[in-house]
């Protein structure tokens, strides 16, 4: 299992444990309430969504990670596609953060 797969599995585990919220309004609400420990946004999220979430995370001091596609993130939690998650538990946030890999559209060539 690659680091990438482990991170997606950890997101799924956090969802099953009830420590992950998704959706624009729910995530923004958890950031404002101080419940979000880490926010993950898909690399193919709209510019408007990225700006709104990045601004909110910056003003509340919540770490924001960008990577994976909406399909990868959705598949990790058993949904068709998801763009935005907030991890509400510090332990799960640490697990996701440690295995997180920045994914780009172009793979590195050695």
């Amino acid at each position: 299992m690659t680091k990438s797969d482990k991170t997606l599995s950890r997101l799924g585990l956090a969802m099953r444990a009830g420590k992950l919220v998704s959706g624009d309004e729910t995530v923004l609400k958890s950031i404002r309430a101080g419940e979000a420990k880490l926010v993950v946004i898909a690399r193919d999220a709209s510019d408007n969504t990225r700006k709104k979430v990045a601004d909110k995370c910056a003003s509340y001091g919540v770490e924001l990670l960008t990577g994976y596609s909406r399909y990868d993130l959705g598949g990790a939690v058993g949904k068709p596609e998801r763009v935005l998650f907030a991890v509400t538990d510090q332990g799960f946030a640490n697990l996701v953060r440690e295995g997180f890999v920045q994914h780009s559209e172009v793979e590195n060539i050695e």
Side-chain angles (χ1 to χ4, degrees), residues 78-93:
K79 306 287 183 183
E81 54 185 81
R82 288 290 183 262
V83 173
L84 188 60
F85 292 124
V87 181
T88 59
D89 178 80
Q90 191 61 55
F92 279 114

Side-chain angles (χ1 to χ4, degrees), residues 18-34:
K19 304 298 182 183
L20 192 72
V21 294
S22 67
D24 289 5
E25 290 307 313
T26 311
V27 169
L28 293 173
K29 182 179 174 186
S30 72
I31 293 169
R32 284 192 296 269

Side-chain angles (χ1 to χ4, degrees), residues 7-24:
T7 301
L8 292 173
S9 293
R10 291 169 181 170
L11 284 171
L13 186 60
M15 178 66 113
R16 289 187 297 280
K19 304 298 182 183
L20 192 72
V21 294
S22 67
D24 289 5

Side-chain angles (χ1 to χ4, degrees), residues 17-74:
K19 304 298 182 183
L20 192 72
V21 294
S22 67
D24 289 5
E25 290 307 313
T26 311
V27 169
L28 293 173
K29 182 179 174 186
S30 72
I31 293 169
R32 284 192 296 269
E35 297 168 353
K37 309 301 182 209
L38 176 71
V39 174
V40 178
I41 190 167
R43 68 173 178 259
D44 54 355
S46 72
D47 291 338
N48 184 41
T49 299
R50 273 198 301 243
K51 180 177 178 355
K52 182 172 35 173
V53 172
D55 290 348
K56 192 62 73 177
C57 284
S59 65
Y60 283 86
V62 177
E63 185 177 1
L64 174 65
L65 300 177
T66 303
Y68 301 105
S69 72
R70 63 182 61 220
Y71 303 103
D72 291 337
L73 292 177

Side-chain angles (χ1 to χ4, degrees), residues 1-8 10 68 98-101:
M1 185 177 277
T2 66
K3 257 192 163 175
S4 163
D5 295 339
K6 285 182 182 178
T7 301
L8 292 173
R10 291 169 181 170
Y68 301 105
E98 90 181 18
F100 199 81
V101 177

